[in-house]
Amino acid sequence: MRTTIFVSLLLVLTLPLGLTSTVGAADAGSEECSGTRAVRTQSAECSGILTIKTDEPGPPISQMLYGVFYEDINYAADGGLYAELVRNRSFEHLRRLEGWQRINNQGQAKIVIEDESPLNENNRHYVKLVSCEAGKDLGLINQGYDGIATSRGKDYEFTVYARSENGFDGELLVSLIDSSGGVWGEGSIGGITPEWQKYILRIKAMETCHQARLMVRINQPGTVCLDMISLFPSDTWQGRANGLRKDLVEMLAELKPAFIRFPGGCIVEGNGMINAYRWKDTIGDVVLRKLNSNLWGYYQSYGLGFYEYFQLCEDLGAKPVPIVNAGLSCQVRGAQYVPIEELDEWVQDALDLIEYANGPVDSPWGSKRAANGHPEPFDLEYLGIGNENWGHEYHRRYEAFHSAIKERYPEIKLIAGSGVAYTGPDYQLAKQWAESVGVDIFDEHMYCPPEWFYENVDRYDGYARGDMRIFVGEYAAHGEGSRNNLEAALAEAAFMTGLERNSDLVHMASYAPLFNKADSSQWVPDLIWFDNTDCYGTPSYYVQKMFSTNLGDTILPHEYQARTIASQAELTSGTSGEIGKEALFIACSRDHDTGDVIIKAVNRLDRAQTVEIRLEGDFAVSGQGRAEVLTSTDPRDENSFAEPRKVAPVLRELAGLGSCFSYTFDAYSVTVIRIKHQY
Ligand code: AHR
């Protein structure tokens, strides 16, 4: 009989950012692991025995498992990820001057909105400045999205479409100003012609100002028409024109998402069909993109459109997972249905999208992709038909999409929704229907209290395996006050151990929603919070990151003999926790690239748990390892702009590991341990 040594774990060091780890390992002294010994029920020191079967590999882990759900909710696009700083640049909002303030220091001058000689049919409205006096200002000030943030020494690119009338030969004066009129940067544009033309001006900000505004004005007699008044920072992600906010993309990049689902969410569906999302309105020159009202109560310029989403996916090495409208609007908001006999147009949109992403450059839509700047295909493999839709009317529409797409593109994996239900008769009906029509992937959404996630860690353990896979397309733990706190993150992490263990079935999963612009949001909790200058990850963000960057490729079966708290007497005698509660949620895997065995464990209790970890099989332990630990003293703890890393992972190097060792999981913690293989 093999005996292994119960090695006391030696923690060597503490890692970055000046964060000090407490010693998390048990100091149980040298002791033999019997291999058969039961959990020491009388000792508070040992909470359980975790046995990992390293030579009995379970199912392969879906490499698509952890991705992100992106929706333009909470100002995620305009005012957020999309780096445009001017609000209502095209004067197409219903209140045409929304976001703008007039300046008129001339008695008879006029500032009017016109649509008589538009830039194009999709962008009809523009502002006309009719100036009568020299030396006095006439113009507009844009407030941005709750101000425009400028940084000292940074360049900003101002662009505008302009034309002159009545012989105007003055200059367009452009300034970055603060609320009391102080000028932080300026420039001017002259030679404005009678035909619409695009003008570009680079402005350097002289100071950092979080609440700057953009002023455009003339002070000579004559008339100037202006449209698409735009301002971008020069340091966008990859330095692209019409680019994205770098810090926010970096937050996404850190997640190493396997996929990005876009553009939603309910905005795909629309309040009615009138504002359902149409991807064709979102590509090409931004001047030609048709603005749309947003189901969440604001406008989408579509400057961040499908081309940019595909490009973002490519940048991050994530598979694109677009969702198209299935011919019905949001059912929670009173559905409108495209009549079946008129559905072809919507089905055609989906077929054209596949061609836009993957088609040859000489195909009608592939050529548009090439013209947009990307001759190579975007390798689209997944497509969602409908978001959170359900019921017969959805099903018959989905089926029309399904047969048309499968006939032409059998390789595309189609995703169908389960609706708002994730359990009960409506859910069962939807699932049976999906299986019967050959849906590839079934999309389930869960916004539930933390307790629900704990109770459903084993949700997929008993699911019959067939051809259909599951996409947990939206989920988040909503605790008291819907806070983004550690309590929510722990519950999500526990649930994710169940997703991972079942990832032969659960192909994909994504937390939702992704972004929250502080003080401008419609939905909490969310993964990443930001304002005009800063951003931070919530505890849930770090859980996503810890799981996605430690995925592994094969499930390793494990057994956990937990010691549950048996009685009130035990509680009152000093053991904390809740009676009969399972205390540790675990998933184990192997990463064959590195050779590592990976343990993910969630301790939801308010006390540390020391676990004896036994690696069965022929895995040769190098002795080295690493633990990444997310914890805090109070499960109500949150991150904030002031304390962005109050609840953030710390790294602990581990040494002296054997095939049996003990590890102490901190109270209220998510831990990922990587045990190094000896080569
Ligand atoms: O994630 C926020 C919303 O929740 C999504 O738009 C919708 O799909 C769900 O109801």
Side-chain angles (χ1 to χ4, degrees):
M1 187 171 115
R2 196 169 59 115
T3 26
T4 43
I5 303 301
F6 187 51
V7 183
S8 158
L9 236 181
L10 182 63
L11 285 186
V12 184
L13 63 100
T14 298
L15 293 158
L17 308 165
L19 296 166
T20 312
S21 66
T22 52
V23 173
D27 186 13
S30 270
E31 188 181 330
E32 285 192 350
C33 276
S34 72
T36 54
R37 188 185 55 203
V39 180
R40 293 170 290 179
T41 51
Q42 294 312 308
S43 161
E45 278 177 26
C46 184
S47 304
I49 297 175
L50 170 63
T51 307
I52 304 168
K53 300 174 193 300
T54 68
D55 55 358
E56 287 176 32
I61 295 174
S62 164
Q63 296 303 296
M64 283 288 285
L65 189 55
Y66 300 122
V68 297
F69 162 95
Y70 174 89
E71 177 170 24
D72 184 5
I73 181 174
N74 303 332
Y75 287 85
D78 296 279
L81 188 59
Y82 185 47
E84 172 64 86
L85 295 167
V86 175
R87 181 168 184 193
N88 189 17
R89 65 187 174 189
S90 63
F91 305 99
E92 297 300 322
H93 290 193
L94 205 53
R95 286 171 45 230
R96 302 289 174 214
L97 281 174
E98 187 178 2
W100 295 93
Q101 180 194 330
R102 291 178 162 91
I103 335 161
N104 185 354
N105 296 334
Q106 307 178 4
Q108 300 300 310
K110 283 194 298 189
I111 299 173
V112 286
I113 296 292
E114 280 196 352
D115 62 357
E116 277 152 31
S117 304
L119 261 182
N120 59 62
E121 279 311 299
N122 291 341
N123 194 346
R124 293 202 58 86
H125 299 95
Y126 53 90
V127 69
K128 188 175 197 169
L129 306 177
V130 185
S131 167
C132 321
E133 291 180 49
K136 290 193 176 162
D137 287 339
L138 181 73
L140 295 168
I141 295 174
N142 191 272
Q143 317 287 339
Y145 293 89
D146 297 324
I148 291 173
T150 60
S151 292
R152 185 188 177 136
K154 192 155 125 180
D155 285 332
Y156 293 82
E157 185 163 291
F158 172 87
T159 56
V160 64
Y161 280 79
R163 65 180 177 80
S164 61
E165 288 179 9
N166 304 327
F168 176 82
D169 66 355
E171 291 189 322
L172 181 69
L173 307 171
V174 184
S175 326
L176 289 168
I177 56 170
D178 66 16
S179 52
S180 47
V183 176
W184 301 114
E186 59 188 341
S188 62
I189 292 168
I192 298 172
T193 64
E195 298 79 38
W196 283 116
Q197 271 203 60
K198 184 176 181 179
Y199 299 86
I200 303 174
L201 180 69
R202 205 153 253 253
I203 302 176
K204 192 178 280 300
M206 291 182 287
E207 289 301 337
T208 294
C209 179
H210 290 178
Q211 287 289 329
R213 296 176 300 158
L214 176 73
M215 178 162 71
V216 285
R217 69 201 154 102
I218 54 176
N219 60 13
Q220 294 300 317
T223 300
V224 174
C225 298
L226 303 172
D227 204 350
M228 291 300 282
I229 302 176
S230 167
L231 186 75
F232 274 86
S234 55
D235 64 345
T236 54
W237 167 254
Q238 310 278 36
R240 288 192 185 117
N242 194 47
L244 306 182
R245 215 176 109 171
K246 198 173 165 194
D247 58 340
L248 296 183
V249 179
E250 283 168 354
M251 289 293 284
L252 297 183
E254 277 188 38
L255 289 173
K256 296 211 184 332
F259 64 88
I260 301 178
R261 171 186 165 150
F262 60 88
C266 291
I267 66 156
V268 172
E269 303 161 22
N271 297 93
M273 293 312 291
I274 186 79
N275 69 340
Y277 197 99
R278 309 297 298 259
W279 73 269
K280 288 178 181 170
D281 291 339
T282 76
I283 59 165
D285 190 338
V286 288
V287 172
L288 290 160
R289 299 187 195 182
K290 211 196 247 171
L291 170 133
N292 196 4
S293 68
N294 183 317
L295 170 143
W296 298 108
Y298 56 95
Y299 284 92
Q300 306 163 88
S301 71
Y302 283 156
L304 169 48
F306 263 46
Y307 180 78
E308 290 76 22
Y309 288 126
F310 280 124
Q311 203 174 37
L312 177 65
C313 292
E314 185 175 81
D315 289 348
L316 302 190
K319 298 258 186 226
V321 183
I323 311 289
V324 293
N325 185 294
L328 69 167
S329 69
C330 182
Q331 289 165 273
V332 179
R333 295 169 171 86
Q336 285 178 355
Y337 298 98
V338 175
I340 291 288
E341 54 284 6
E342 293 169 24
L343 197 62
D344 282 358
E345 179 191 333
W346 295 79
V347 174
Q348 192 58 48
D349 274 3
L351 292 168
D352 292 343
L353 175 61
I354 299 169
E355 188 176 283
Y356 178 74
N358 293 354
V361 291
D362 56 359
S363 63
W365 285 95
S367 69
K368 291 190 198 295
R369 180 192 70 242
N372 294 162
H374 202 284
E376 306 78 23
F378 278 123
D379 296 330
L380 179 69
E381 288 176 32
Y382 297 84
L383 181 63
I385 309 298
N387 171 45
E388 212 168 57
N389 299 126
W390 72 91
H392 177 64
E393 292 298 338
Y394 167 54
H395 294 165
R396 56 203 285 246
R397 284 168 179 75
Y398 172 90
E399 286 169 32
F401 281 81
H402 187 103
S403 47
I405 295 170
K406 287 291 181 185
E407 191 184 323
R408 194 152 152 216
Y409 300 108
E411 71 283 7
I412 297 290
K413 296 179 193 68
L414 294 180
I415 302 168
S418 69
V420 284
Y422 46 81
T423 184
D426 286 350
Y427 169 77
Q428 289 306 337
L429 202 73
K431 188 161 169 278
Q432 276 156 21
W433 160 80
E435 279 160 347
S436 72
V437 297
V439 164
D440 297 301
I441 299 169
F442 190 54
D443 178 16
E444 306 183 351
H445 297 178
M446 301 114 178
Y447 297 102
C448 301
E451 206 51 45
W452 184 91
F453 286 96
Y454 289 118
E455 282 162 7
N456 285 273
V457 168
D458 55 0
R459 173 182 172 91
Y460 297 106
D461 291 3
Y463 266 49
R465 268 50 174 174
D467 291 335
M468 193 170 82
R469 301 279 177 274
I470 301 288
F471 176 17
V472 183
E474 298 182 26
Y475 67 95
H478 286 213
E480 207 180 321
S482 293
R483 308 297 305 182
N484 267 120
N485 55 20
L486 178 60
E487 181 199 26
L490 290 172
E492 288 149 10
F495 185 63
M496 288 164 75
T497 62
L499 302 184
E500 192 164 306
R501 284 190 292 94
N502 286 284
S503 78
D504 56 323
L505 171 72
V506 182
H507 190 59
M508 303 152 79
S510 43
Y511 179 100
L514 182 60
F515 284 119
N516 181 316
K517 184 159 195 182
D519 302 326
S520 302
S521 81
Q522 298 85 45
W523 185 292
V524 282
D526 310 279
L527 210 59
I528 298 166
W529 287 54
F530 68 94
D531 61 15
N532 283 342
T533 48
D534 295 314
C535 60
Y536 67 87
T538 59
S540 299
Y541 171 87
Y542 289 112
V543 164
Q544 293 293 322
K545 184 176 168 190
M546 288 166 74
F547 275 60
S548 70
T549 55
N550 292 289
L551 183 60
D553 49 50
T554 311
I555 287 294
L556 293 180
H558 73 265
E559 277 167 17
Y560 183 58
Q561 269 183 281
R563 170 178 174 272
T564 55
I565 298 160
S567 66
Q568 187 61 39
E570 196 179 351
L571 268 182
T572 46
S573 72
T575 306
S576 54
E578 289 175 59
I579 297 166
K581 269 256 154 83
E582 193 182 345
L584 214 53
F585 301 88
I586 299 165
C588 302
S589 60
R590 184 83 192 266
D591 175 1
H592 286 95
D593 275 350
T594 59
D596 295 357
V597 165
I598 303 170
I599 303 170
K600 300 189 178 81
V602 179
N603 178 13
R604 68 174 303 198
L605 298 186
D606 62 354
R607 62 185 166 84
Q609 297 195 65
T610 299
V611 173
E612 194 174 297
I613 297 172
R614 300 175 182 174
L615 300 172
E616 277 188 6
D618 54 9
F619 179 78
V621 186
S622 73
Q624 304 301 309
R626 196 192 73 188
E628 206 173 332
V629 184
L630 181 79
T631 187
S632 196
T633 46
D634 189 327
R636 289 167 301 182
D637 282 349
E638 303 176 0
N639 294 331
S640 62
F641 290 107
E643 288 184 284
R645 290 186 61 90
K646 181 171 181 174
V647 189
V650 290
L651 288 181
R652 295 172 184 160
E653 294 296 331
L654 309 178
L657 304 180
S659 55
C660 185
F661 63 91
S662 71
Y663 182 86
T664 299
F665 294 95
D666 297 56
Y668 307 128
S669 68
V670 180
T671 303
V672 178
I673 297 177
R674 293 191 82 113
I675 305 166
K676 299 274 165 220
H677 185 255
Q678 175 75 60
Y679 286 104

